[in-house]
């Protein structure tokens, strides 16, 4: 990734110099070396740009605000980020003319939670070499294969192709696509009894602190005024004896992005409580694929998504199995 | 002990059912059921909506929050929508929402969609009787209740 970072900086410098773009949207080092944060760069501070296996943030959503400003912005998009980008262009949320998309290669994003579980804690510095992460920790040097600590979304990688790009940085050492049963967990849940499912979701959703991080990070959640910002929506009370708020928040959040969710997995990545939110999104995706035809949101920037479309032969409500009874 | 028996019968579970009825077909169907003097349970509360696709998933959850035990949405038959296509969209939305509720462990059958035309008063009463029976068998809504809204 060192070589890619260098290539990105060279390309960005060239584009800034010839006036094609005015700003660069990328990542800079956060508080720790593993929480790289989205940032906007100009020629002066471009040196701070980083790109490594901890640049998980999907920059597409930031383009909504960036493309409203003067001038053109260079956006660094990983292959899976381009799906969200396309979906936002489709919804007229991003001004395509004001964005120069530079497709960058990605070899998978590491999940720091999984590193911690593997005993790599107190990380001070991390170096990458091919697929191996070498971490300098408070407790000495530790190494780890990146394939063992990938984010859930990277295990169901959509592939190395960019769905939208004005230019692409070549991947000199492509990695093999991971084979992962994307809907495996959804199917496992469906096989449970309703009581078991209810218990499973209770144990997961009861962790929710309603920090709204999943909503704020989601590229599909781009409403200027969100239903949950309404004081009367009744989801901000965080009543600890009550389960309704959590259920309502998560059902509605998932429903509002149904059909538009590209399964980018940002919601699960940012959840401070580790709730597997992608399992809700994937349930909708699976239902849509099975009943309304295979659909990948963001694979193009023009087709109608399943919930703004219909056929006369659609299945009746109640006919779709939400799980065993 | 007569008093105890009396108490028991008064606390017998009477499901509260919210029925969203589209203005153009089902509401008129309910009207016809009424003018035809057909019997259907009095604890079905009808809410008139301009079209079945006006029903936001939030309305359904809200109904459960405020104490409903079952929610039924009635619309025009597919193809007969006053606005041409509204019920087709409603059909997709509700199909996905109901599946999600089931996935979260909410009992199947607490929510339902039926297509009832303005001429189907008989069918309206029949659907409501059936649905009330289903909800009665399912019992009280426990999994989507809001304790703060309990009286």
């Amino acid at each position: 990734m060192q070589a890619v970072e260098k290539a990105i900086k060279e390309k960005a410098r060239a584009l800034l110099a010839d006036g094609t773009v005015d700003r660069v949207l990328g990542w800079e080092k956060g508080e720790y070396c593993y929480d790289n944060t989205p940032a906007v760069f100009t020629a002066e501070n471009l040196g701070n740009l980083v790109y490594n296996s901890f640049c998980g943030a999907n920059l597409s959503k930031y383009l909504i605000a960036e493309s409203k400003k003067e001038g053109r912005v260079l956006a660094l998009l990983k292959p899976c980020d381009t799906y969200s980008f396309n979906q936002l262009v489709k919804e007229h949320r991003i001004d395509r003319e004001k964005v120069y998309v530079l497709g960058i290669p990605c070899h998978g994003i590491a999940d720091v939670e999984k590193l911690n579980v593997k005993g790599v804690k107190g990380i001070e510095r991390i170096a990458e070499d091919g697929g191996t992460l070498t971490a300098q920790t408070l407790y000495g040097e530790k190494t780890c294969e990146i394939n063992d600590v990938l984010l859930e979304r990277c295990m169901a990688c959509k592939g190395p192709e960019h769905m939208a790009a004005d230019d692409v940085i070549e991947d000199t050492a492509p990695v093999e696509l991971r084979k992962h049963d994307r809907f495996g967990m959804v199917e496992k849940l469906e096989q449970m009894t309703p009581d078991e499912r209810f218990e499973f979701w209770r144990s997961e959703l009861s962790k929710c602190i309603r920090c709204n991080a999943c909503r704020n990070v989601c590229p599909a959640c781009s409403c200027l005024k969100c239903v949950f910002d309404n004081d009367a929506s009744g989801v901000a009370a965080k009543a600890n004896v009550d389960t309704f708020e959590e259920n309502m928040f998560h059902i509605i959040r998932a429903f509002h992005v149904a059909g538009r969710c590209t399964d980018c997995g940002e919601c699960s990545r940012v959840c401070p409580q580790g709730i597997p939110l992608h399992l809700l999104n994937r349930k909708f995706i699976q239902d849509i694929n099975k009943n309304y035809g295979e659909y990948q949101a963001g694979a193009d920037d023009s087709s109608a998504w399943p919930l703004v479309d219909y056929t006369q032969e659609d299945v009746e409500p109640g006919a779709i199995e939400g799980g065993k009874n | 002990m007569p008093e105890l028996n009396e108490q028991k019968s008064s606390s017998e579970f009477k499901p509260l059912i919210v029925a969203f009825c589209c203005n153009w077909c089902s509401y008129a169907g309910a009207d016809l059921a009424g003018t035809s003097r057909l019997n259907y349970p009095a604890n079905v509360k009808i809410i008139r909506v301009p079209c079945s696709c006006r029903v936001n998933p939030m309305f359904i959850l809200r109904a459960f929050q405020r104490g409903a035990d079952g929610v039924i949405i009635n619309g025009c038959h597919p193809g007969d929508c006053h606005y041409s296509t509204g019920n087709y969209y409603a059909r997709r939305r509700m199909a996905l929402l109901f599946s999600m509720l089931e996935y979260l462990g909410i009992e199947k059958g607490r929510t339902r969609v039926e297509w009832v035309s303005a001429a189907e008063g008989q069918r309206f009463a029949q659907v409501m009787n059936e649905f009330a029976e289903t909800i009665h068998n399912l019992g009280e809504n426990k999994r989507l209740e809001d304790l703060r809204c309990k009286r």
Side-chain angles (χ1 to χ4, degrees):
Chain A
M1 284 288 126
Q2 290 272 297
V4 175
E5 188 184 300
K6 201 164 154 253
I8 291 171
K9 282 183 182 167
E10 273 169 23
K11 183 81 194 166
R13 277 228 164 76
L15 288 168
L16 282 165
D18 69 15
T20 314
V21 297
D22 302 279
R23 311 181 293 289
V24 179
L25 179 61
W27 303 267
E28 66 179 2
K29 186 176 165 292
E31 194 164 348
Y32 304 102
C33 59
Y34 47 79
D35 66 347
N36 295 327
T37 313
V40 179
F41 302 92
T42 54
E44 288 87 62
N45 61 355
L46 193 63
N48 297 338
L49 190 140
V50 291
Y51 184 59
N52 55 35
S53 297
F54 292 90
C55 291
N58 181 345
L59 299 181
S60 307
K61 188 169 188 182
Y62 297 83
L63 288 169
I64 299 173
E66 280 304 316
S67 74
K68 285 199 173 75
K69 296 178 187 163
E70 280 289 299
R72 207 158 178 224
V73 60
L74 171 68
L76 306 177
L77 297 185
K78 304 188 289 295
C80 62
D81 301 344
T82 56
Y83 288 85
S84 315
F85 177 78
N86 260 345
Q87 188 62 32
L88 285 165
V89 169
K90 188 191 289 185
E91 293 164 15
H92 310 287
R93 305 291 283 124
I94 292 177
D95 188 349
R96 185 69 182 86
E97 300 297 303
K98 282 185 168 175
V99 182
Y100 185 98
V101 177
L102 182 60
I104 56 175
C106 173
H107 294 168
I109 303 295
D111 185 349
V112 73
E113 299 297 331
K114 286 189 183 168
L115 273 170
N116 288 345
V117 169
K118 282 206 164 288
V120 188
K121 292 182 181 175
I123 303 164
E124 288 177 321
R125 259 174 298 125
I126 285 195
E128 285 174 51
D129 183 26
T132 312
L133 298 172
T134 310
Q136 305 294 331
T137 71
L138 294 172
Y139 316 105
E141 188 178 290
K142 300 221 168 130
T143 58
C144 186
E145 290 302 310
I146 188 161
N147 278 343
D148 298 336
V149 292
L150 283 177
L151 279 174
E152 168 68 29
R153 69 151 180 250
C154 296
M155 302 210 285
C157 182
K158 296 188 192 75
E161 305 288 330
H162 293 88
M163 294 296 119
D166 295 312
D167 201 354
V168 175
I169 302 247
E170 278 307 314
D171 193 355
T172 46
V175 290
E176 211 178 311
L177 201 63
R178 282 109 189 164
K179 295 267 186 299
H180 177 68
D181 188 4
R182 187 176 164 205
F183 296 112
M185 190 58 200
V186 174
E187 271 154 20
K188 213 174 125 195
L189 274 167
E190 285 174 346
Q191 291 307 312
M192 292 180 179
T193 64
D195 291 344
E196 286 168 342
R197 279 200 303 274
F198 188 73
E199 280 313 309
F200 172 85
W201 283 111
R202 216 66 300 289
S203 68
E204 291 296 345
L205 299 184
S206 60
K207 294 189 276 186
C208 178
I209 53 173
R210 249 125 322 128
C211 64
N212 284 352
C214 49
R215 180 202 69 174
N216 290 354
V217 80
C218 176
C221 283
S222 60
C223 294
L224 289 178
K225 197 150 197 187
C226 172
V227 57
F228 298 124
D229 288 336
N230 180 349
D231 289 342
S233 70
V235 293
K238 300 190 182 95
N240 56 8
V241 293
D242 209 82
T243 60
F244 182 82
E245 277 176 57
E246 288 144 8
N247 285 335
M248 177 170 77
F249 177 79
H250 289 284
I251 294 169
I252 298 295
R253 186 204 63 80
F255 190 86
H256 279 187
V257 300
R260 305 185 298 123
C261 170
T262 63
D263 201 10
C264 75
E266 283 286 272
C267 43
S268 301
R269 182 181 70 87
V270 298
C271 181
Q273 299 292 77
I275 303 172
L277 294 161
H278 60 273
L279 293 178
L280 295 172
N281 301 334
R282 281 183 187 170
K283 170 65 182 161
F284 278 130
I285 294 172
Q286 194 194 35
D287 283 349
I288 287 168
N289 283 349
K290 279 188 182 165
N291 295 285
Y292 307 129
E294 289 280 325
Y295 185 80
Q296 170 62 56
D300 65 87
D301 61 7
S302 54
S303 68
W305 58 92
L307 280 176
V308 294
D309 201 8
Y310 68 90
T311 66
Q312 294 185 349
E313 292 78 32
D314 281 342
V315 291
E316 290 296 324
I320 302 183
E321 283 277 305
K324 258 192 173 164
N325 268 286
Chain B
M1 285 187 287
E3 305 97 54
L4 242 176
N5 279 340
E6 214 175 277
Q7 209 174 4
K8 200 181 166 200
S9 66
S10 68
S11 67
E12 199 202 337
F13 172 55
K14 284 203 192 91
L16 178 63
I17 292 167
V18 172
F20 290 100
C21 291
C22 116
N23 179 36
W24 306 99
C25 293
S26 316
Y27 196 79
D31 219 14
L32 183 60
T35 48
S36 317
R37 311 253 162 170
L38 298 167
N39 278 327
Y40 68 90
N43 36 12
V44 172
K45 309 292 179 209
I46 295 179
I47 297 177
R48 181 160 68 161
V49 285
C51 177
S52 50
C53 84
R54 176 66 183 86
V55 180
N56 184 325
M58 197 78 138
F59 293 1
I60 296 170
L61 298 184
R62 258 318 165 228
F64 284 124
Q65 180 186 24
R66 304 282 157 88
D69 298 298
V71 176
I72 182 164
I73 295 150
N74 299 290
C76 309
H77 285 273
D80 292 346
C81 179
H82 182 77
Y83 308 101
S84 307
T85 55
N87 51 9
Y88 286 124
Y89 295 117
R91 184 160 67 174
R92 280 203 170 186
R93 279 179 212 158
M94 292 311 147
L96 290 180
L97 179 74
F98 292 0
S99 162
M100 175 54 75
L101 291 178
E102 215 182 316
Y103 182 63
L104 289 179
I106 317 298
E107 304 91 337
K108 191 184 176 74
R110 254 191 215 292
T111 47
R112 190 156 152 189
V113 170
E114 284 293 338
W115 313 121
V116 178
S117 86
E120 292 176 326
Q122 183 81 49
R123 184 172 142 74
F124 182 86
Q126 189 198 333
V127 162
M128 287 307 154
N129 283 319
E130 263 176 39
F131 190 59
E133 176 80 29
T134 313
I135 300 300
H136 197 275
N137 294 339
L138 281 174
E140 256 182 276
N141 160 41
K142 283 281 172 206
R143 295 190 167 170
L144 270 181
E145 72 174 351
D146 193 335
L147 295 170
R148 294 167 297 176
C149 296
K150 285 270 162 192
R151 267 163 293 163

